[in-house]
Amino acid sequence: MTTRNRQWLLKSRPEGPAVEREHFELREAAVPTIGDGEFLIRNRWFSCDPSQRAWMDTDTYVKKVALGEPMRAFTGGEVVESRHPGYKSGDKVTGTFAWQDYSLSDGRDALGTVTKLPDSIDLPAALSLFGITGMTAYFGMFDIGRPRAGDTVVVSGAAGATGVIAAQIAKARGLRTLGIAGGEGKCRWLREELGLDDAIDYKAGDVRDALRERCPAGINVYFDNIGGDILDAGLANLADGARVVMCGAIAGYGNFDDMPPIRQYHQLILKRASMQGFLVFDYLARSDEAVAEMSPWLAAGRIKNPVDIAEGFDAAPDALKRLFAGQNRGKQLVRLD
């Protein structure tokens, strides 16, 4: 095992929504030495997620990353040395650690507990469909959205990591499902390769008018990952008794004060609708439920698990930048050396 532990440090805080390579600094440190009750993880994959933008400058459900400290991410790797009774060398694990080659743990990470994976789930799947992303999509759609037979479901950010799973699993349950994404290429991909009933390109025209045309009876479940004007367009087209799932607000990450205001909230009153936010961490104890239902869908080809892979440790800052530039399709991952 090498003694080199490469790290990407947070050098400066972004002043807007964009994430740039200049916000990070590469450093080398010594590989941590384990003590009793600890184990050493060789990270193999980094996950890129919208939550990382908030971690760069805001205290949320976890403290923001301090300047000069390694950037935080959901990671996947393998145990290479252990003095912990619950983990052995060779175990595949996921957790919330730093952008670095090696992480030290006592069984806990920045958000709670390190997850040991069964042999049947590989690391990319554990960071996407069967990880935080898939669990967010599943419980947000079915526990918060509560779709019923005959419902029309609309998912914003439908080509992103969570949106692409949320839309597919709604379709797999037999629901009419539409996605909102940026660019005709992404919309064609959602329709032709992932099987959605329709997709709306928010760059090509008025989303509010497009939703009215394609959802004449209104939207029963609106799964929102974007916020701002896109959310407002969804609220303007709700059906009676609609459920709005507040999953993300990427339009405001970096500066919520300048986010476009929501003007159509009165539709919640007129349509006797509900809007609810959630955090996936409240549902992780039930992950087996989601895996049990989604695994057969994946095996049968009823859903896909698209991952967008950037290669190499050096690619981490640019991969996160791609995420916020909307260049990824599905889950953005970084495969280390």
Side-chain angles (χ1 to χ4, degrees):
M1 183 178 71
T2 180
T3 59
R4 183 179 68 162
N5 189 26
R6 295 170 298 176
Q7 300 174 321
W8 278 109
L9 309 184
L10 181 61
K11 180 181 179 182
S12 61
R13 302 195 190 281
E15 296 183 358
V19 176
E20 302 290 345
R21 191 178 184 89
E22 67 192 35
H23 295 127
F24 305 97
E25 179 181 3
L26 185 63
R27 183 185 74 177
E28 289 189 8
V31 174
T33 301
I34 69 171
D36 290 338
E38 295 179 329
F39 55 96
L40 188 66
I41 302 165
R42 174 65 162 99
N43 293 315
R44 299 297 185 184
W45 295 83
F46 294 153
S47 172
C48 294
D49 298 277
S51 55
Q52 288 174 275
R53 177 60 189 83
W55 296 346
M56 292 175 74
D57 62 13
T58 306
D59 291 336
T60 56
Y61 48 85
V62 66
K63 284 285 188 181
K64 64 186 176 184
V65 179
L67 292 177
E69 293 297 318
M71 182 58 192
R72 185 188 304 127
F74 300 118
T75 67
E78 60 191 32
V79 177
V80 293
E81 187 177 356
S82 178
R83 295 174 65 180
H84 188 294
Y87 298 84
K88 66 181 186 302
S89 181
D91 283 345
K92 295 182 298 181
V93 295
T94 59
T96 308
F97 291 108
W99 268 0
Q100 58 188 11
D101 286 307
Y102 293 92
S103 296
L104 188 66
S105 178
D106 60 1
R108 293 170 294 180
D109 63 5
L111 296 177
T113 304
V114 178
T115 300
K116 185 163 58 174
L117 303 178
D119 291 339
S120 59
I121 298 180
D122 62 23
L123 289 170
L127 292 174
S128 50
L129 181 63
F130 298 128
I132 295 292
T133 301
M135 299 304 106
T136 301
Y138 183 91
F139 290 107
M141 180 61 69
F142 298 133
D143 272 50
I144 308 299
R146 306 184 308 280
R148 299 182 286 265
D151 278 356
T152 292
V153 175
V154 174
V155 179
S156 68
T162 300
V164 77
I165 301 301
Q168 288 186 91
I169 61 178
K171 184 63 182 174
R173 280 269 187 101
L175 302 161
R176 180 172 182 259
T177 306
L178 293 80
I180 301 173
E184 177 52 33
K186 287 185 178 180
C187 290
R188 189 183 315 111
W189 177 65
L190 291 171
R191 291 189 298 263
E192 297 178 3
E193 295 191 34
L194 301 185
L196 271 61
D197 294 288
D198 208 342
I200 294 170
D201 178 5
Y202 70 80
K203 296 181 178 180
D206 190 286
V207 175
R208 181 173 173 176
D209 290 343
L211 286 171
R212 182 179 296 112
E213 175 186 350
R214 301 181 204 190
C215 306
I219 301 166
N220 302 104
V221 178
Y222 188 82
F223 192 107
D224 187 57
N225 293 293
I226 304 298
D229 292 336
I230 303 298
L231 171 59
D232 221 35
L235 294 179
N237 287 280
L238 297 180
D240 287 342
R243 284 80 64 202
V244 180
V245 183
M246 299 300 292
C247 179
I250 197 169
Y253 288 170
N255 194 344
F256 283 113
D257 290 338
D258 285 343
M259 193 171 187
I262 303 302
R263 300 180 175 87
Q264 296 293 324
Y265 71 90
H266 63 282
Q267 295 292 342
L268 297 169
I269 302 169
L270 299 177
K271 299 298 185 180
R272 284 85 77 197
S274 63
M275 177 186 287
Q276 182 178 344
F278 73 104
L279 289 176
V280 68
F281 309 110
D282 298 331
Y283 295 88
L284 294 184
R286 296 171 51 196
S287 295
D288 288 349
E289 297 176 31
V291 173
E293 184 164 17
M294 293 193 295
S295 293
W297 289 341
L298 181 66
R302 296 177 64 189
I303 64 173
K304 296 180 181 179
N305 184 33
V307 293
D308 196 327
I309 299 174
E311 297 287 355
F313 188 91
D314 186 63
D318 293 327
L320 190 58
K321 178 181 178 178
R322 289 187 80 248
L323 181 73
F324 286 95
Q327 296 173 326
N328 61 299
R329 291 190 183 184
K331 181 70 176 187
Q332 181 69 65
L333 296 177
V334 179
R335 175 163 43 200
L336 280 63
D337 298 341

